[in-house]
Amino acid sequence: MEFGIVGLGRMGGNMARRLARKGAQIALYNRSFDVTQSLAEETGHLACDSLQALVDALATPRIVWLMLPAGDATEATLQALRPILAPGDLIVDGGNSFYKDVQRRTAWLAERQIEFSDAGVSGGVWGLENGYCLMFGASEAAAARLRPYMEKLAPASDRGWLHCGSVGSGHFVKMVHNGIEYGMMQSLAEGFALMKNKPGFELNLGEIAELWRHGSVVQSWLLDLSADFLAQDQTLENILPYVGDSGEGRWTALEAIEQGIPAPVMTLSLMMRFASQGKSDYANKMLAKMRQGFGGHEVKEG
Amino acid sequence: MEFGIVGLGRMGGNMARRLARKGAQIALYNRSFDVTQSLAEETGHLACDSLQALVDALATPRIVWLMLPAGDATEATLQALRPILAPGDLIVDGGNSFYKDVQRRTAWLAERQIEFSDAGVSGGVWGLENGYCLMFGASEAAAARLRPYMEKLAPASDRGWLHCGSVGSGHFVKMVHNGIEYGMMQSLAEGFALMKNKPGFELNLGEIAELWRHGSVVQSWLLDLSADFLAQDQTLENILPYVGDSGEGRWTALEAIEQGIPAPVMTLSLMMRFASQGKSDYANKMLAKMRQGFGGHEVKEG
Amino acid sequence: MEFGIVGLGRMGGNMARRLARKGAQIALYNRSFDVTQSLAEETGHLACDSLQALVDALATPRIVWLMLPAGDATEATLQALRPILAPGDLIVDGGNSFYKDVQRRTAWLAERQIEFSDAGVSGGVWGLENGYCLMFGASEAAAARLRPYMEKLAPASDRGWLHCGSVGSGHFVKMVHNGIEYGMMQSLAEGFALMKNKPGFELNLGEIAELWRHGSVVQSWLLDLSADFLAQDQTLENILPYVGDSGEGRWTALEAIEQGIPAPVMTLSLMMRFASQGKSDYANKMLAKMRQGFGGHEVKEG
Amino acid sequence: MEFGIVGLGRMGGNMARRLARKGAQIALYNRSFDVTQSLAEETGHLACDSLQALVDALATPRIVWLMLPAGDATEATLQALRPILAPGDLIVDGGNSFYKDVQRRTAWLAERQIEFSDAGVSGGVWGLENGYCLMFGASEAAAARLRPYMEKLAPASDRGWLHCGSVGSGHFVKMVHNGIEYGMMQSLAEGFALMKNKPGFELNLGEIAELWRHGSVVQSWLLDLSADFLAQDQTLENILPYVGDSGEGRWTALEAIEQGIPAPVMTLSLMMRFASQGKSDYANKMLAKMRQGFGGHEVKEG
């Protein structure tokens, strides 16, 4: 056994399940051992109760795949793994880390001859059944070692995984992917909002979403998902109009600014999410006061 | 007496006051006669209790200046005036009508040899003291008749009024003016929002607004107004983050689309106002559901 | 024979071909008779050399499907058909007309008891093989008569066509569909632009587009198309950066402004197309001059 | 003599001139000694031919005001000054440095008991006559030492300068100021573009800009500047539609993303500048190819 997964949340857990279905046997570690044990029983994988145990369980050269939240969790685990791994071992960061952090860590791990690879993973909760879309950066040698696992995780052995380039490129490509996702989602949402409120037509948004799935130019997975939930309830009356955002949408906007390349739709989609979080309230109060100041327009107080 | 004002609200009332201060005597009409009487007593102008009375009080060729809300109020008054005015009389629409409506009405009034002029008026509640900025469309002949009144209403006899071109051009220029206003306001508001929330600096927004009034590139009347209210209260904690919008911001955006000329900042400023009015809620609910659909992200229910 | 198509361009021609493959026999008319004859030979449909001939060839109650450019061509053909059709006949406007024009025409045709239906058709050049996505507005009676043809034109007899509601709703839904398309396209394009120019990674955009087709959240038909052309040439060096726009992108933006619902991404996508057409040049010249005015920044002259 | 200026370009040179007019005598240093000598002759200030000479010429505790391009020039000069200044000396960075760089440098200079202050300076080429708008961060003690110079540089001794807060706050406030400037400029430019191209009205943009300066809500210094150049030439036919951008517009956009506060207008103004620089070409080529792919729309090749 040469391959272990650290982090068995929604993504990591299902990836372990998919590898089991495809006949791979691997080692598992999760902060909470209950989760590890339960998943090991389900899959036949090996449960490890510490990072050291996982490292001990793997034959060298090892592959340790981290499926952790970007930021502190990933950083702390890398700090813990670095001294206990051996030269030639390979760590894969499968979370959504910033590509510049990846590049920094690559150099830092290389000081101990530990290889590093960054794998962007798309596919969400559907990946277990359909396979994950994997975009990774790695040296040629590391890519060759990862290939058998990529072939099992991806939708088909020759499709849905790509060695994009040097380390960092995987998360860079995933970052842009998510930026595109922001814009596509926002565009779909705006369109349905225009139909929802259209007086006179009483449109059935669930039927329209389903319709467009068949032959239209906007066919997409995001539309498929929308058709699913709109078929059940198109009022969305119990949903709060709050849209979270995660690092990659922000990083894509930063990247556009840094490169000096216009990405207005991706950036604006991010900012509309900020607005949904109430973050434009002060600006709006200023505007209300300015209107009052020059035109005597009423200001709503509350 | 040749000149009458119809509509004595915030704008029309103060314009009547300014004309009185400058020595003009005019006739007044307002839907509510109390308002007319009270203003006539204050200014020495003539109070009329009906449109017919106002028409009767004026010597031909008359000038009737409407200072009414665009839309139904203006349309109804024009319908009432058309049959009771004489050929050669001149109606001025000083409200914020859409310039295409102006052009349509010009032709319709010309059928009875009634002249029409459209005057965009800026200056808000400060116009009484400082003078109004007036941009109007009219024939050359009508412009010559209006000149003495423009000279009194404007900040100075030779500054602050402009015969922009043919009828319609006045409201077109005023429409663009307001579109610009939307963008400038939004830009100022965004900037103060970034400073309001900046951890570590505890910036005094009132002092900063006052500072920028002296020598900086963003010196502007909108900044002056902001400095005023921020000096009193920079928390704005009792203000609701709701920003109204009126016709001209929308028309400017429509104009950009019709001409095919990018006006992203003016248009987006308008849409941020829509968002402040809660009009992006359905789109945001859709986005929250999509995120749940592909990534299992939590949806807030309420 | 009850069904005729008027307008045999890229869309109309292929729709006639698809109907032939599905066993329907129809009448054809095109402004240029060469096109009509050639298509009739290929499909076995009936070639008509005038609108009158097409009307004469069809049994009542007739169905005449217009597949013409919106605007003058559609208007002129409706003017020509109205007097020569009989009460009970049904005209379908399959072009991209503005839904408010559809509503106006519905009333005008109803004066002669001619039924009207508006059918938005998506699917482009791929519709012949895969079927068209059809969204139409019609009375219940008209919808029933159209059903057999919808079943043949759509991807499957029970999928890809929808009677959306009353007349006008079809083109309304299609309009919003195209607005969404604008935003999705822009988002994809922005993302690839960020990858194209990324120093250090030398990403293969064709491989990345192909990758994302398998399991990723941005899976979409627009991505499929992008993967096709990027596989052939990802430099795009011989393509001019000029993006055309058509009525529906503009109408969607107008609709958002009219309803007062934010659609910033769809609207901005439209405006970026205007910019690609050189329509922001004057604004940019103004900006360059302002920068020179306050900061002495160099202005490029040419 | 306690005060020296390093960097005598457009800004630094005029600041030295203004200080001379106000009766201060200072030391000057510029990379090119010709410039230093010429300005010293004009102003009566002391010409120094090296940083060391400037340091030697000043009595302790010194104030050395850098008026250099942000980035390498400022960094190199700080590196050179740090070892040759004495504890208690004060460096002022008057360029447009990023506020996080300021904070980093503050700590690094404090290791040698050198004080640091960051002064954002607005006013451009007009500052010599009208005074500069100065926003600076400093300790209380440093602020007290800078006060006499602020009073001379500002439009009036008590207006136009502000001690915003701790070191870093000056450039933070200046950064936001410039972000606002981007949005105000863009809004004005969009408005004039809509008027420039308006068929039927033949508007005189120079007259309109001048008009709005008197009593309108969009009164602003940027409008004053626009009125100046439009009065001379409103065709702008010899100007290239290329708009440069500098660090502060980008940093403001980054700040908005980092804080998670919507700043769509400021950000979009920046991106429209990128577009004016041809940086959306690849995205536009992608869009043209997608349109060809699904709809057979013509692609312009060149």
Side-chain angles (χ1 to χ4, degrees):
Chain A
M1 199 185 313
E2 63 175 1
F3 189 101
I5 292 185
V6 174
L8 303 171
R10 205 158 43 211
M11 292 293 286
N14 278 345
M15 289 168 72
R17 287 185 182 90
R18 186 164 173 94
L19 286 174
R21 293 187 188 177
K22 297 285 178 175
Q25 219 225 340
I26 65 171
L28 304 177
Y29 170 71
N30 194 64
R31 203 171 41 169
S32 153
F33 189 54
D34 286 354
V35 172
T36 313
Q37 275 186 307
S38 159
L39 188 66
E41 278 169 34
E42 175 191 336
T43 57
H45 292 320
L46 178 70
C48 304
D49 61 2
S50 68
L51 280 179
Q52 184 67 57
L54 180 124
V55 168
D56 292 344
L58 298 180
T60 57
R62 306 171 182 94
I63 302 176
V64 181
W65 187 299
L66 310 189
M67 211 63 210
L68 297 166
D72 291 347
T74 295
E75 183 69 27
T77 305
L78 288 169
Q79 296 278 358
L81 280 172
R82 188 174 183 260
I84 63 177
L85 287 178
D89 287 348
L90 165 61
I91 304 178
V92 182
D93 178 2
N96 280 330
S97 296
F98 188 35
Y99 77 94
K100 293 186 183 179
D101 289 333
V102 168
Q103 292 174 319
R104 175 176 54 76
R105 289 164 178 161
T106 301
W108 170 73
L109 291 167
E111 292 168 11
R112 292 206 65 244
Q113 282 84 54
I114 299 171
E115 282 243 49
F116 198 39
S117 166
D118 59 318
V121 184
S122 184
V125 294
W126 303 78
L128 172 57
E129 296 304 328
N130 303 339
Y132 297 92
C133 181
L134 298 144
M135 46 215 97
F136 67 104
S139 69
E140 290 297 336
R145 288 164 64 190
L146 287 169
R147 181 172 183 145
Y149 300 94
M150 296 296 174
E151 290 177 349
K152 290 180 174 63
L153 289 166
S157 65
D158 61 344
R159 293 182 316 169
W161 63 272
L162 181 68
H163 177 206
C164 298
S166 60
V167 192
S169 65
H171 282 165
F172 180 81
V173 171
K174 178 62 162 42
M175 175 191 85
V176 172
H177 169 277
N178 283 28
I180 292 171
E181 179 190 299
Y182 273 55
M184 292 175 72
M185 287 171 70
Q186 176 72 25
S187 192
L188 280 163
E190 290 177 5
F192 280 93
L194 290 182
M195 294 193 292
K196 175 74 168 94
N197 295 279
K198 184 59 185 175
F201 288 142
E202 297 183 23
L203 298 169
N204 185 317
L205 303 195
E207 288 180 3
I208 290 167
E210 179 61 31
L211 167 71
W212 287 347
R213 298 181 63 211
H214 306 288
S216 100
V217 175
V218 301
Q219 286 174 83
S220 55
W221 193 35
L222 289 162
L223 177 66
D224 298 345
L225 293 169
S226 301
D228 279 352
F229 67 75
L230 290 172
Q232 294 165 43
D233 168 27
Q234 63 180 278
T235 68
L236 305 182
E237 61 194 354
N238 294 322
I239 307 299
L240 287 186
Y242 178 98
V243 193
D245 76 283
S246 54
E248 293 179 313
R250 297 187 182 207
W251 298 330
T252 312
L254 299 181
E255 179 71 26
I257 294 163
E258 193 174 297
Q259 284 197 43
I261 292 181
V265 155
M266 295 197 295
T267 304
L268 192 51
S269 299
L270 174 70
M271 291 193 170
M272 293 309 284
R273 294 196 183 185
F274 295 163
S276 84
Q277 298 163 12
K279 299 295 183 58
S280 50
D281 282 1
Y282 192 76
N284 288 332
K285 292 173 175 199
M286 286 275 302
L287 291 169
K289 287 294 288 182
M290 279 190 242
R291 293 185 85 226
Q292 183 185 47
F294 66 74
H297 299 284
E298 186 197 8
V299 165
K300 292 177 195 273
E301 303 196 7
Chain B
M1 198 185 314
E2 64 175 0
F3 189 101
I5 292 186
V6 174
L8 303 171
R10 206 158 42 210
M11 292 294 286
N14 278 345
M15 289 168 72
R17 286 185 183 91
R18 188 166 172 93
L19 286 174
R21 292 186 189 180
K22 297 283 178 176
Q25 220 226 339
I26 65 170
L28 303 177
Y29 171 72
N30 193 64
R31 203 170 42 169
S32 151
F33 189 54
D34 287 353
V35 173
T36 311
Q37 275 185 306
S38 159
L39 188 65
E41 278 167 36
E42 176 192 337
T43 57
H45 292 320
L46 177 72
C48 304
D49 60 2
S50 69
L51 279 179
Q52 183 67 57
L54 180 124
V55 167
D56 292 342
L58 298 181
T60 57
R62 305 172 182 92
I63 303 176
V64 181
W65 187 300
L66 310 189
M67 211 62 210
L68 297 166
D72 292 346
T74 295
E75 184 69 27
T77 304
L78 288 170
Q79 296 278 356
L81 280 173
R82 189 176 183 259
I84 63 177
L85 287 178
D89 287 348
L90 165 60
I91 303 177
V92 182
D93 178 2
N96 280 329
S97 296
F98 187 35
Y99 76 94
K100 293 186 182 178
D101 289 333
V102 168
Q103 292 174 319
R104 176 176 53 76
R105 289 163 178 163
T106 302
W108 170 74
L109 291 168
E111 292 168 11
R112 290 206 65 245
Q113 281 84 54
I114 299 171
E115 282 244 48
F116 198 40
S117 166
D118 60 318
V121 185
S122 185
V125 295
W126 304 78
L128 172 56
E129 296 304 326
N130 304 338
Y132 296 92
C133 183
L134 298 144
M135 45 214 98
F136 66 104
S139 69
E140 290 297 334
R145 289 165 64 189
L146 287 169
R147 181 170 183 147
Y149 299 94
M150 296 295 174
E151 289 177 351
K152 290 179 175 63
L153 289 166
S157 64
D158 62 343
R159 293 182 316 169
W161 62 271
L162 183 68
H163 177 206
C164 297
S166 59
V167 192
S169 65
H171 282 164
F172 180 80
V173 170
K174 178 58 163 42
M175 174 191 86
V176 173
H177 169 278
N178 284 28
I180 292 172
E181 178 190 300
Y182 273 54
M184 290 175 74
M185 287 172 70
Q186 177 72 25
S187 192
L188 280 163
E190 291 177 6
F192 281 93
L194 289 183
M195 294 192 293
K196 176 73 169 89
N197 295 278
K198 184 59 183 176
F201 288 143
E202 298 183 23
L203 299 170
N204 185 316
L205 303 196
E207 288 179 3
I208 290 168
E210 180 61 32
L211 168 72
W212 287 347
R213 297 181 63 211
H214 305 289
S216 100
V217 175
V218 301
Q219 284 174 83
S220 55
W221 192 37
L222 290 162
L223 178 65
D224 297 346
L225 293 169
S226 301
D228 279 353
F229 67 75
L230 289 172
Q232 294 165 43
D233 168 27
Q234 64 180 278
T235 69
L236 304 182
E237 62 194 354
N238 294 322
I239 308 298
L240 287 187
Y242 178 98
V243 193
D245 76 283
S246 54
E248 294 179 311
R250 297 189 183 205
W251 298 328
T252 312
L254 299 181
E255 178 71 26
I257 294 164
E258 193 174 300
Q259 284 197 44
I261 291 181
V265 155
M266 296 196 295
T267 304
L268 191 52
S269 298
L270 174 69
M271 291 192 169
M272 293 310 283
R273 293 196 184 184
F274 295 162
S276 84
Q277 299 163 11
K279 300 294 183 57
S280 51
D281 282 1
Y282 192 76
N284 287 332
K285 292 174 175 197
M286 286 275 302
L287 291 169
K289 287 294 289 182
M290 279 190 242
R291 295 185 84 227
Q292 183 184 49
F294 66 75
H297 300 284
E298 186 198 7
V299 165
K300 292 176 194 273
E301 304 197 7
Chain C
M1 198 185 315
E2 62 175 0
F3 188 102
I5 293 185
V6 174
L8 303 171
R10 207 159 41 211
M11 292 293 286
N14 277 346
M15 289 168 72
R17 286 185 182 90
R18 187 164 172 94
L19 286 173
R21 293 187 189 178
K22 297 285 180 175
Q25 219 226 339
I26 65 172
L28 303 178
Y29 171 71
N30 194 64
R31 201 171 42 170
S32 152
F33 189 54
D34 285 354
V35 173
T36 313
Q37 275 186 306
S38 160
L39 188 66
E41 276 169 36
E42 177 191 336
T43 57
H45 292 320
L46 178 70
C48 305
D49 60 3
S50 69
L51 280 178
Q52 183 68 56
L54 180 125
V55 169
D56 292 344
L58 298 180
T60 56
R62 305 171 182 95
I63 303 176
V64 181
W65 186 299
L66 310 190
M67 211 63 209
L68 297 165
D72 292 347
T74 295
E75 183 69 28
T77 303
L78 288 169
Q79 295 278 358
L81 279 173
R82 188 174 184 261
I84 63 177
L85 287 178
D89 286 349
L90 166 60
I91 303 178
V92 183
D93 178 3
N96 279 331
S97 297
F98 188 36
Y99 76 94
K100 293 186 183 179
D101 289 333
V102 168
Q103 292 174 318
R104 176 176 53 74
R105 288 165 179 161
T106 301
W108 170 74
L109 291 167
E111 292 168 10
R112 291 207 65 243
Q113 282 85 53
I114 299 171
E115 282 243 50
F116 198 39
S117 166
D118 60 318
V121 184
S122 184
V125 296
W126 303 78
L128 172 57
E129 294 305 326
N130 304 339
Y132 297 92
C133 182
L134 298 144
M135 46 215 96
F136 66 104
S139 69
E140 289 298 335
R145 288 164 65 189
L146 287 170
R147 182 173 182 144
Y149 299 94
M150 296 295 174
E151 290 177 351
K152 290 179 174 63
L153 289 167
S157 64
D158 62 344
R159 292 181 317 168
W161 62 272
L162 182 69
H163 176 205
C164 297
S166 59
V167 193
S169 66
H171 282 163
F172 181 81
V173 171
K174 179 59 162 44
M175 176 191 86
V176 173
H177 169 278
N178 283 28
I180 292 171
E181 178 190 300
Y182 272 55
M184 291 175 73
M185 287 172 70
Q186 176 72 24
S187 193
L188 280 163
E190 291 177 6
F192 280 93
L194 289 182
M195 295 192 292
K196 175 74 167 92
N197 294 278
K198 185 59 184 175
F201 288 142
E202 297 183 20
L203 299 169
N204 185 317
L205 303 195
E207 288 180 3
I208 290 168
E210 179 61 31
L211 167 72
W212 288 346
R213 297 181 63 210
H214 306 288
S216 99
V217 175
V218 301
Q219 285 173 83
S220 55
W221 193 36
L222 289 162
L223 178 65
D224 297 346
L225 293 169
S226 301
D228 279 353
F229 66 75
L230 289 172
Q232 294 165 44
D233 168 27
Q234 63 180 277
T235 68
L236 305 182
E237 62 194 353
N238 294 321
I239 307 299
L240 287 187
Y242 178 98
V243 193
D245 76 283
S246 54
E248 292 179 313
R250 297 188 183 206
W251 298 329
T252 312
L254 298 181
E255 178 72 24
I257 294 164
E258 193 175 299
Q259 284 197 42
I261 292 180
V265 154
M266 296 197 295
T267 304
L268 192 50
S269 299
L270 175 69
M271 291 194 170
M272 294 309 283
R273 294 196 182 185
F274 295 162
S276 84
Q277 299 163 13
K279 299 296 183 58
S280 51
D281 283 1
Y282 192 76
N284 288 332
K285 291 174 177 198
M286 286 274 303
L287 292 169
K289 286 295 288 182
M290 279 190 242
R291 294 185 83 228
Q292 183 185 46
F294 66 73
H297 298 285
E298 187 198 7
V299 165
K300 292 177 194 272
E301 304 196 7
Chain D
M1 197 186 312
E2 63 175 1
F3 189 100
I5 292 185
V6 173
L8 303 171
R10 207 158 41 209
M11 292 293 286
N14 279 345
M15 290 168 71
R17 286 186 183 91
R18 186 165 173 94
L19 287 174
R21 292 186 188 180
K22 297 284 180 176
Q25 220 225 340
I26 65 170
L28 304 177
Y29 171 71
N30 194 64
R31 202 171 43 169
S32 153
F33 189 54
D34 286 354
V35 172
T36 312
Q37 276 185 305
S38 160
L39 188 66
E41 277 168 36
E42 176 192 336
T43 57
H45 292 320
L46 177 71
C48 304
D49 61 1
S50 69
L51 279 178
Q52 183 68 56
L54 180 125
V55 167
D56 292 344
L58 299 179
T60 57
R62 305 172 183 94
I63 302 176
V64 182
W65 187 298
L66 310 190
M67 211 64 211
L68 297 166
D72 291 348
T74 296
E75 184 69 28
T77 304
L78 288 169
Q79 296 278 357
L81 281 172
R82 188 176 183 260
I84 63 178
L85 287 177
D89 287 348
L90 165 59
I91 303 178
V92 183
D93 179 2
N96 280 330
S97 296
F98 188 36
Y99 76 94
K100 293 186 182 177
D101 288 333
V102 168
Q103 292 174 319
R104 175 177 53 76
R105 288 164 178 162
T106 301
W108 170 74
L109 291 167
E111 292 168 10
R112 293 207 63 245
Q113 282 85 53
I114 299 171
E115 282 243 48
F116 198 39
S117 167
D118 59 319
V121 185
S122 186
V125 294
W126 303 79
L128 173 56
E129 296 304 327
N130 304 338
Y132 297 91
C133 183
L134 298 145
M135 47 215 95
F136 66 103
S139 69
E140 290 298 335
R145 288 165 65 191
L146 287 170
R147 181 170 183 148
Y149 300 94
M150 296 297 175
E151 290 177 350
K152 290 180 175 65
L153 289 167
S157 65
D158 62 344
R159 294 182 315 169
W161 62 271
L162 182 68
H163 177 206
C164 297
S166 59
V167 193
S169 65
H171 282 164
F172 181 81
V173 171
K174 179 60 164 41
M175 175 191 86
V176 173
H177 168 278
N178 283 27
I180 292 172
E181 179 190 298
Y182 272 56
M184 290 176 74
M185 287 172 71
Q186 177 71 26
S187 192
L188 280 163
E190 291 177 5
F192 281 93
L194 289 183
M195 294 192 292
K196 176 75 169 88
N197 295 279
K198 184 60 184 176
F201 288 143
E202 298 183 22
L203 298 169
N204 185 318
L205 303 195
E207 287 180 3
I208 290 168
E210 180 60 32
L211 167 72
W212 287 346
R213 298 181 63 210
H214 305 289
S216 99
V217 175
V218 302
Q219 285 174 83
S220 55
W221 192 37
L222 289 162
L223 178 65
D224 297 346
L225 293 168
S226 301
D228 279 353
F229 66 75
L230 288 172
Q232 293 166 42
D233 168 27
Q234 62 180 278
T235 69
L236 304 182
E237 62 194 354
N238 294 322
I239 307 299
L240 287 187
Y242 178 98
V243 193
D245 76 283
S246 55
E248 293 178 312
R250 297 188 182 206
W251 298 329
T252 312
L254 299 181
E255 178 72 24
I257 295 164
E258 193 174 299
Q259 285 198 41
I261 292 181
V265 154
M266 296 197 295
T267 304
L268 192 51
S269 299
L270 175 70
M271 291 192 170
M272 293 309 283
R273 293 196 183 184
F274 295 162
S276 84
Q277 299 163 12
K279 299 294 184 57
S280 51
D281 282 2
Y282 192 76
N284 288 332
K285 292 174 176 196
M286 287 274 303
L287 292 168
K289 287 295 288 181
M290 279 190 243
R291 294 185 84 228
Q292 183 185 48
F294 65 75
H297 300 284
E298 187 197 7
V299 165
K300 293 177 193 272
E301 304 198 6

